[in-house]
Amino acid sequence: MENNKIAVGLDIGTTKIVAMIGRKNEYDKIEIIGIGKAKSLGVKRGVVSNITQTIQSIQQAVDEAESVSGVKILNVVVGIAGQHIRSLHHSDYITRNNAEEVINDIDIDNLVNQVHKLVMLPGEEIIHVLPQEFKVDSQSDIKEPIGMYGGRLEANFHVVVGQVSSIRNIGRCVKSAGLDLSEITLEPLASAAAVLSQEEKEAGVALIDIGGGTTDLAIFKDGIIRHTAVIPFGGNVITDDIKEGCSIIEKQAELLKIKFGSAWPGENKESEIVSIPGLRGREPKEITLKNLSKIIHARVQEIIEHVYLEIKNYGHETAKGKLIAGIVLTGGGAQLNHLRQLVEYITGMDARIGYPNEHLAGESDESLSSPAYATAVGLLMEGLNRGSKEEEEEEIIEEIVDEVLKPKEEIEEIEEVVPEVKKKQKPKPKRKSFFEKFTEGLKDFLDNAE
């Protein structure tokens, strides 16, 4: 399978902005041909706080990726997260005019559109509606109702809500950096695509993505996303605690956390000491690793407890909601020493670190399989999958056009061809997801705002 289709994932995080260019190789694995990183200066807890600085950081990351790959970046798939994202559960139904006709795409769309009419708080907008299970008349727990007969179609929905202004600000930054938005997707969903297996999603799993500004949670069960949440704490809060607790500057605190940090205080002896150079000729500071890990442990424990509360609210402790595959930790914060053991201790659930290397080509740079790049890899996968779908649809359309435009002696012969062509369509083009509609709406808004 030769595929030269290239896609770009743009991860706009609180700590770093990553632009990742890739394509699929003949084994259907992702070959990364360029990556660019820049320090994220204008983003706080996943929300743009300084438009100018964010644009500069995006341009810096994109320029670096372009120079490494020799490819000009035009379209990007962007992830959204941030403390403004929240989710809720909602049930809704429609009564069909004709119960003698089978349920089709239009009925599902009517039901989903009805959910979009829910009244939200001022400034909030529904950005994702995810059907859970359907109910047709009195028959419940239906995953795919299309093709069934019934008068009343009902469904449970997982509804993701966000601040419109925050999403538009991200769109404005991307557009001002000279790029086109090909798609917007939720960052926890992108990370999940990169590090979770289908078996885990079926069995029940909680993905915890610990970023710099926020910790994102996505819970899957029976192959469907059941719950999402954003906790407004991440790795930066741990660095701030070290900075305050040890009276050192932020750069030193970050280095201490990465090199010597541990989430488990029992690992370090009192005698283990690290010396920090003093500022401008001042005396060096001596910090015990025991104290350092106590500071880290206190904050990490708080983050995990917040996340575990969300997992319990979802219903993990019920027989139906039990997450058999446990917890998968990813994101830059997942690299903290002994974090997995602490998570298992607090939650009583199995845990593992999620690496995105399963989808990467064998010769990929080892550093790219770090949990810190899980979201960027997931966004890149989303872009490549979208490109493949579009190519399939284009091929079908071309085939139809070629068939219909063949020289025919009489119109009747063309009419005979059309039903045959419809049969050849096989994969029916997928109807637009709300995120695709939302992306188009955002593009229109940005174009009109100029």
PDB file of all heavy atoms in Angstrom, residues 299-318:
ATOM      1  N   ARG A 299       1.444  16.949  46.335  1.00  0.00           N
ATOM      2  CA  ARG A 299       0.688  17.517  45.210  1.00  0.00           C
ATOM      3  C   ARG A 299       0.171  16.419  44.266  1.00  0.00           C
ATOM      4  O   ARG A 299      -0.969  16.478  43.820  1.00  0.00           O
ATOM      5  CB  ARG A 299       1.567  18.509  44.447  1.00  0.00           C
ATOM      6  CG  ARG A 299       0.862  19.164  43.282  1.00  0.00           C
ATOM      7  CD  ARG A 299      -0.365  19.947  43.691  1.00  0.00           C
ATOM      8  NE  ARG A 299      -0.032  21.249  44.216  1.00  0.00           N
ATOM      9  CZ  ARG A 299      -0.923  22.158  44.605  1.00  0.00           C
ATOM     10  NH1 ARG A 299      -2.216  21.873  44.513  1.00  0.00           N
ATOM     11  NH2 ARG A 299      -0.553  23.317  45.089  1.00  0.00           N
ATOM     12  N   VAL A 300       1.010  15.416  43.990  1.00  0.00           N
ATOM     13  CA  VAL A 300       0.587  14.326  43.092  1.00  0.00           C
ATOM     14  C   VAL A 300      -0.597  13.578  43.700  1.00  0.00           C
ATOM     15  O   VAL A 300      -1.550  13.228  43.004  1.00  0.00           O
ATOM     16  CB  VAL A 300       1.759  13.362  42.792  1.00  0.00           C
ATOM     17  CG1 VAL A 300       1.278  12.141  42.035  1.00  0.00           C
ATOM     18  CG2 VAL A 300       2.832  14.073  41.984  1.00  0.00           C
ATOM     19  N   GLN A 301      -0.532  13.365  45.010  1.00  0.00           N
ATOM     20  CA  GLN A 301      -1.626  12.678  45.705  1.00  0.00           C
ATOM     21  C   GLN A 301      -2.937  13.460  45.523  1.00  0.00           C
ATOM     22  O   GLN A 301      -3.994  12.866  45.251  1.00  0.00           O
ATOM     23  CB  GLN A 301      -1.291  12.552  47.194  1.00  0.00           C
ATOM     24  CG  GLN A 301      -2.290  11.694  47.948  1.00  0.00           C
ATOM     25  CD  GLN A 301      -1.845  11.418  49.377  1.00  0.00           C
ATOM     26  OE1 GLN A 301      -0.829  11.941  49.838  1.00  0.00           O
ATOM     27  NE2 GLN A 301      -2.604  10.608  50.077  1.00  0.00           N
ATOM     28  N   GLU A 302      -2.858  14.781  45.617  1.00  0.00           N
ATOM     29  CA  GLU A 302      -4.055  15.625  45.449  1.00  0.00           C
ATOM     30  C   GLU A 302      -4.628  15.481  44.030  1.00  0.00           C
ATOM     31  O   GLU A 302      -5.840  15.337  43.846  1.00  0.00           O
ATOM     32  CB  GLU A 302      -3.682  17.098  45.716  1.00  0.00           C
ATOM     33  CG  GLU A 302      -4.888  18.021  45.712  1.00  0.00           C
ATOM     34  CD  GLU A 302      -4.496  19.487  45.788  1.00  0.00           C
ATOM     35  OE1 GLU A 302      -3.307  19.806  45.985  1.00  0.00           O
ATOM     36  OE2 GLU A 302      -5.395  20.319  45.620  1.00  0.00           O
ATOM     37  N   ILE A 303      -3.742  15.490  43.024  1.00  0.00           N
ATOM     38  CA  ILE A 303      -4.185  15.361  41.629  1.00  0.00           C
ATOM     39  C   ILE A 303      -4.866  14.003  41.415  1.00  0.00           C
ATOM     40  O   ILE A 303      -5.944  13.919  40.837  1.00  0.00           O
ATOM     41  CB  ILE A 303      -2.993  15.535  40.650  1.00  0.00           C
ATOM     42  CG1 ILE A 303      -2.485  16.984  40.690  1.00  0.00           C
ATOM     43  CG2 ILE A 303      -3.393  15.163  39.223  1.00  0.00           C
ATOM     44  CD1 ILE A 303      -1.159  17.215  39.964  1.00  0.00           C
ATOM     45  N   ILE A 304      -4.214  12.932  41.918  1.00  0.00           N
ATOM     46  CA  ILE A 304      -4.765  11.575  41.721  1.00  0.00           C
ATOM     47  C   ILE A 304      -6.113  11.437  42.428  1.00  0.00           C
ATOM     48  O   ILE A 304      -7.045  10.823  41.899  1.00  0.00           O
ATOM     49  CB  ILE A 304      -3.771  10.493  42.211  1.00  0.00           C
ATOM     50  CG1 ILE A 304      -2.491  10.531  41.367  1.00  0.00           C
ATOM     51  CG2 ILE A 304      -4.388   9.105  42.121  1.00  0.00           C
ATOM     52  CD1 ILE A 304      -1.339   9.776  41.977  1.00  0.00           C
ATOM     53  N   GLU A 305      -6.223  12.030  43.632  1.00  0.00           N
ATOM     54  CA  GLU A 305      -7.497  11.939  44.363  1.00  0.00           C
ATOM     55  C   GLU A 305      -8.623  12.649  43.617  1.00  0.00           C
ATOM     56  O   GLU A 305      -9.767  12.193  43.601  1.00  0.00           O
ATOM     57  CB  GLU A 305      -7.338  12.475  45.789  1.00  0.00           C
ATOM     58  CG  GLU A 305      -6.671  11.439  46.702  1.00  0.00           C
ATOM     59  CD  GLU A 305      -6.234  11.994  48.049  1.00  0.00           C
ATOM     60  OE1 GLU A 305      -6.389  13.223  48.272  1.00  0.00           O
ATOM     61  OE2 GLU A 305      -5.745  11.206  48.877  1.00  0.00           O
ATOM     62  N   HIS A 306      -8.300  13.802  42.991  1.00  0.00           N
ATOM     63  CA  HIS A 306      -9.291  14.509  42.163  1.00  0.00           C
ATOM     64  C   HIS A 306      -9.759  13.614  41.006  1.00  0.00           C
ATOM     65  O   HIS A 306     -10.946  13.532  40.718  1.00  0.00           O
ATOM     66  CB  HIS A 306      -8.666  15.785  41.563  1.00  0.00           C
ATOM     67  CG  HIS A 306      -8.873  16.996  42.407  1.00  0.00           C
ATOM     68  ND1 HIS A 306      -8.022  17.352  43.421  1.00  0.00           N
ATOM     69  CD2 HIS A 306      -9.838  17.950  42.384  1.00  0.00           C
ATOM     70  CE1 HIS A 306      -8.443  18.467  43.987  1.00  0.00           C
ATOM     71  NE2 HIS A 306      -9.549  18.859  43.376  1.00  0.00           N
ATOM     72  N   VAL A 307      -8.779  12.975  40.369  1.00  0.00           N
ATOM     73  CA  VAL A 307      -9.093  12.112  39.218  1.00  0.00           C
ATOM     74  C   VAL A 307      -9.907  10.897  39.675  1.00  0.00           C
ATOM     75  O   VAL A 307     -10.891  10.518  39.039  1.00  0.00           O
ATOM     76  CB  VAL A 307      -7.798  11.657  38.494  1.00  0.00           C
ATOM     77  CG1 VAL A 307      -8.122  10.661  37.394  1.00  0.00           C
ATOM     78  CG2 VAL A 307      -7.074  12.853  37.901  1.00  0.00           C
ATOM     79  N   TYR A 308      -9.498  10.313  40.801  1.00  0.00           N
ATOM     80  CA  TYR A 308     -10.189   9.108  41.297  1.00  0.00           C
ATOM     81  C   TYR A 308     -11.634   9.422  41.677  1.00  0.00           C
ATOM     82  O   TYR A 308     -12.528   8.592  41.490  1.00  0.00           O
ATOM     83  CB  TYR A 308      -9.418   8.511  42.481  1.00  0.00           C
ATOM     84  CG  TYR A 308      -9.918   7.136  42.884  1.00  0.00           C
ATOM     85  CD1 TYR A 308     -10.217   6.168  41.923  1.00  0.00           C
ATOM     86  CD2 TYR A 308     -10.108   6.812  44.221  1.00  0.00           C
ATOM     87  CE1 TYR A 308     -10.677   4.910  42.280  1.00  0.00           C
ATOM     88  CE2 TYR A 308     -10.563   5.546  44.593  1.00  0.00           C
ATOM     89  CZ  TYR A 308     -10.846   4.607  43.618  1.00  0.00           C
ATOM     90  OH  TYR A 308     -11.310   3.358  43.966  1.00  0.00           O
ATOM     91  N   LEU A 309     -11.874  10.635  42.167  1.00  0.00           N
ATOM     92  CA  LEU A 309     -13.233  11.066  42.490  1.00  0.00           C
ATOM     93  C   LEU A 309     -14.094  11.072  41.222  1.00  0.00           C
ATOM     94  O   LEU A 309     -15.245  10.627  41.233  1.00  0.00           O
ATOM     95  CB  LEU A 309     -13.202  12.467  43.118  1.00  0.00           C
ATOM     96  CG  LEU A 309     -14.541  13.017  43.608  1.00  0.00           C
ATOM     97  CD1 LEU A 309     -15.099  12.160  44.738  1.00  0.00           C
ATOM     98  CD2 LEU A 309     -14.396  14.462  44.090  1.00  0.00           C
ATOM     99  N   GLU A 310     -13.502  11.547  40.111  1.00  0.00           N
ATOM    100  CA  GLU A 310     -14.216  11.543  38.818  1.00  0.00           C
ATOM    101  C   GLU A 310     -14.499  10.108  38.360  1.00  0.00           C
ATOM    102  O   GLU A 310     -15.566   9.820  37.814  1.00  0.00           O
ATOM    103  CB  GLU A 310     -13.388  12.266  37.744  1.00  0.00           C
ATOM    104  CG  GLU A 310     -13.312  13.771  37.899  1.00  0.00           C
ATOM    105  CD  GLU A 310     -14.608  14.487  37.509  1.00  0.00           C
ATOM    106  OE1 GLU A 310     -15.494  13.851  36.897  1.00  0.00           O
ATOM    107  OE2 GLU A 310     -14.726  15.673  37.846  1.00  0.00           O
ATOM    108  N   ILE A 311     -13.516   9.216  38.577  1.00  0.00           N
ATOM    109  CA  ILE A 311     -13.693   7.810  38.180  1.00  0.00           C
ATOM    110  C   ILE A 311     -14.827   7.179  39.001  1.00  0.00           C
ATOM    111  O   ILE A 311     -15.651   6.431  38.473  1.00  0.00           O
ATOM    112  CB  ILE A 311     -12.373   7.013  38.350  1.00  0.00           C
ATOM    113  CG1 ILE A 311     -11.314   7.532  37.360  1.00  0.00           C
ATOM    114  CG2 ILE A 311     -12.593   5.521  38.141  1.00  0.00           C
ATOM    115  CD1 ILE A 311      -9.917   6.976  37.572  1.00  0.00           C
ATOM    116  N   LYS A 312     -14.893   7.528  40.290  1.00  0.00           N
ATOM    117  CA  LYS A 312     -15.962   7.000  41.150  1.00  0.00           C
ATOM    118  C   LYS A 312     -17.316   7.594  40.760  1.00  0.00           C
ATOM    119  O   LYS A 312     -18.332   6.901  40.775  1.00  0.00           O
ATOM    120  CB  LYS A 312     -15.644   7.271  42.621  1.00  0.00           C
ATOM    121  CG  LYS A 312     -14.554   6.350  43.171  1.00  0.00           C
ATOM    122  CD  LYS A 312     -14.520   6.303  44.674  1.00  0.00           C
ATOM    123  CE  LYS A 312     -13.806   7.497  45.256  1.00  0.00           C
ATOM    124  NZ  LYS A 312     -13.468   7.337  46.671  1.00  0.00           N
ATOM    125  N   ASN A 313     -17.309   8.896  40.407  1.00  0.00           N
ATOM    126  CA  ASN A 313     -18.565   9.542  39.973  1.00  0.00           C
ATOM    127  C   ASN A 313     -19.122   8.888  38.715  1.00  0.00           C
ATOM    128  O   ASN A 313     -20.329   8.811  38.523  1.00  0.00           O
ATOM    129  CB  ASN A 313     -18.339  11.042  39.696  1.00  0.00           C
ATOM    130  CG  ASN A 313     -18.152  11.829  40.971  1.00  0.00           C
ATOM    131  OD1 ASN A 313     -18.456  11.337  42.053  1.00  0.00           O
ATOM    132  ND2 ASN A 313     -17.627  13.034  40.859  1.00  0.00           N
ATOM    133  N   TYR A 314     -18.213   8.435  37.841  1.00  0.00           N
ATOM    134  CA  TYR A 314     -18.646   7.735  36.622  1.00  0.00           C
ATOM    135  C   TYR A 314     -19.364   6.441  36.992  1.00  0.00           C
ATOM    136  O   TYR A 314     -20.303   6.016  36.329  1.00  0.00           O
ATOM    137  CB  TYR A 314     -17.426   7.474  35.709  1.00  0.00           C
ATOM    138  CG  TYR A 314     -17.488   6.151  34.996  1.00  0.00           C
ATOM    139  CD1 TYR A 314     -18.294   5.989  33.872  1.00  0.00           C
ATOM    140  CD2 TYR A 314     -16.798   5.032  35.469  1.00  0.00           C
ATOM    141  CE1 TYR A 314     -18.391   4.763  33.229  1.00  0.00           C
ATOM    142  CE2 TYR A 314     -16.892   3.811  34.843  1.00  0.00           C
ATOM    143  CZ  TYR A 314     -17.689   3.679  33.724  1.00  0.00           C
ATOM    144  OH  TYR A 314     -17.800   2.467  33.105  1.00  0.00           O
ATOM    145  N   GLY A 315     -18.949   5.806  38.079  1.00  0.00           N
ATOM    146  CA  GLY A 315     -19.594   4.554  38.512  1.00  0.00           C
ATOM    147  C   GLY A 315     -18.689   3.352  38.456  1.00  0.00           C
ATOM    148  O   GLY A 315     -19.147   2.231  38.225  1.00  0.00           O
ATOM    149  N   HIS A 316     -17.382   3.558  38.668  1.00  0.00           N
ATOM    150  CA  HIS A 316     -16.417   2.450  38.603  1.00  0.00           C
ATOM    151  C   HIS A 316     -16.710   1.377  39.650  1.00  0.00           C
ATOM    152  O   HIS A 316     -16.435   0.193  39.439  1.00  0.00           O
ATOM    153  CB  HIS A 316     -14.998   2.999  38.792  1.00  0.00           C
ATOM    154  CG  HIS A 316     -13.984   1.961  39.167  1.00  0.00           C
ATOM    155  ND1 HIS A 316     -13.670   0.904  38.329  1.00  0.00           N
ATOM    156  CD2 HIS A 316     -13.233   1.778  40.287  1.00  0.00           C
ATOM    157  CE1 HIS A 316     -12.760   0.136  38.930  1.00  0.00           C
ATOM    158  NE2 HIS A 316     -12.489   0.639  40.110  1.00  0.00           N
ATOM    159  N   GLU A 317     -17.280   1.789  40.779  1.00  0.00           N
ATOM    160  CA  GLU A 317     -17.482   0.829  41.872  1.00  0.00           C
ATOM    161  C   GLU A 317     -18.729  -0.031  41.671  1.00  0.00           C
ATOM    162  O   GLU A 317     -18.986  -0.942  42.446  1.00  0.00           O
ATOM    163  CB  GLU A 317     -17.536   1.582  43.212  1.00  0.00           C
ATOM    164  CG  GLU A 317     -16.155   2.128  43.580  1.00  0.00           C
ATOM    165  CD  GLU A 317     -16.172   3.053  44.784  1.00  0.00           C
ATOM    166  OE1 GLU A 317     -17.216   3.666  45.045  1.00  0.00           O
ATOM    167  OE2 GLU A 317     -15.138   3.162  45.457  1.00  0.00           O
ATOM    168  N   THR A 318     -19.513   0.265  40.629  1.00  0.00           N
ATOM    169  CA  THR A 318     -20.679  -0.578  40.331  1.00  0.00           C
ATOM    170  C   THR A 318     -20.240  -1.744  39.448  1.00  0.00           C
ATOM    171  O   THR A 318     -19.234  -1.640  38.735  1.00  0.00           O
ATOM    172  CB  THR A 318     -21.766   0.227  39.581  1.00  0.00           C
ATOM    173  OG1 THR A 318     -21.233   0.631  38.311  1.00  0.00           O
ATOM    174  CG2 THR A 318     -22.196   1.451  40.374  1.00  0.00           C
TER     175      THR A 318
END
